[in-house]
Amino acid sequence: MQFLTIYTPAQQGQPDEAQMAEMGTFVEEMYRAGVVLATGGLVPSARARIANGEISIKQEPQSGQDTKGFALLQVDSQEQLDDLIRRFLAIAGDGESEIFRVTGPED
């Protein structure tokens, strides 16, 4: 099963060096285990909408800093996913992770 997680920290700003090192070790371990397929930061750049057949694209102001982070995960069970999310949040600190199951034609 694949899941996309999007983490939003409770407060903006950069984590301290110790937190970054711990997170780096955790993510590297998860890449080696084949659980993490991709990670990165998300910076708002635009919003696209359609209403009544009209499409609008509004550019967002660029802050230069990631405001959210994502991870694409490959897990064997809900329990494995829950464990990974708990471990991640314990390192990342206060905030929220949205979790989306990735589905495809075979689902």
Side-chain angles (χ1 to χ4, degrees), residues 64 87 97:
R87 290 177 63 194
S97 276

Side-chain angles (χ1 to χ4, degrees), residues 7-17 19-20 42 63-69 91-95:
Y7 172 72
T8 304
Q11 296 180 347
Q12 294 301 314
Q14 296 297 323
D16 63 33
E17 286 184 36
Q19 187 181 22
M20 288 294 289
L42 302 170
S63 68
Q65 293 187 3
D66 297 347
T67 57
K68 296 181 180 191
I91 299 167
D94 292 347

Side-chain angles (χ1 to χ4, degrees), residues 15-99:
D16 63 33
E17 286 184 36
Q19 187 181 22
M20 288 294 289
E22 187 176 5
M23 184 62 71
T25 300
F26 173 70
V27 171
E28 184 177 317
E29 175 188 331
M30 294 301 100
Y31 265 113
R32 281 196 310 265
V35 175
V36 171
L37 305 177
T39 61
L42 302 170
V43 178
S45 58
R47 289 187 184 269
R49 290 197 168 101
I50 185 167
N52 300 317
E54 295 292 320
I55 297 172
S56 65
I57 300 175
K58 179 184 174 190
Q59 302 300 317
E60 299 285 333
Q62 298 290 315
S63 68
Q65 293 187 3
D66 297 347
T67 57
K68 296 181 180 191
F70 79 91
L72 181 60
L73 307 174
Q74 176 74 45
V75 296
D76 296 324
S77 67
Q78 185 66 48
E79 293 77 20
Q80 184 183 19
L81 174 66
D82 293 350
D83 178 59
L84 289 171
I85 296 299
R86 284 187 178 94
R87 290 177 63 194
F88 169 81
L89 289 173
I91 299 167
D94 292 347
E96 177 180 72
S97 276
E98 294 179 87
I99 303 164

